[in-house]
Amino acid sequence: TKIEDCGNCDVCLKRKRDVHNVELHSLSTQVLNVLHNHPHKLDDLVSLFYRFDKALVVESINELAEANEILIDKNKIVKLK
């Protein structure tokens, strides 16, 4: 018998958080790989990852910028640092 996740208890919340972190890490790696080729306009970069939730893409880009792995210039061009 399979028990459904309640989505509210500590176990379910941790599982959800773990899945989110794995997806975020995977997406961040993909963003860095795309930027190895050349810089992209921010909107174009987000559009490349249309299969992902837009909020997750933006979160990934923001985290990479905060970690000083990428730079977003005043013209919203994203490039590796």
Side-chain angles (χ1 to χ4, degrees):
T1 306
K2 182 175 178 180
I3 300 173
E4 296 292 322
D5 287 347
C6 70
N8 296 318
C9 71
D10 291 343
V11 172
C12 291
L13 292 175
K14 182 183 181 322
R15 186 176 299 128
K16 186 176 181 180
R17 208 169 29 253
D18 289 347
V19 168
H20 175 81
N21 288 339
V22 167
E23 289 176 347
L24 188 62
H25 177 74
S26 173
L27 183 56
S28 294
T29 300
Q30 292 178 52
V31 168
L32 291 172
N33 286 338
V34 166
L35 292 173
H36 272 145
N37 296 327
H38 59 81
H40 283 73
K41 291 181 183 177
L42 181 58
D43 291 340
D44 294 343
L45 184 60
V46 172
S47 295
L48 285 174
F49 296 96
Y50 65 90
R51 292 185 177 178
F52 290 89
D53 178 61
K54 186 175 180 178
L56 186 66
V57 176
V58 171
E59 181 180 356
S60 172
I61 292 169
N62 284 335
E63 285 194 4
L64 289 169
E66 288 175 13
N68 290 318
E69 293 188 52
I70 63 172
L71 176 68
I72 305 171
D73 71 17
K74 64 182 178 180
N75 297 318
K76 296 188 178 180
I77 303 296
V78 185
K79 56 188 169 184
L80 292 177
K81 214 161 185 194

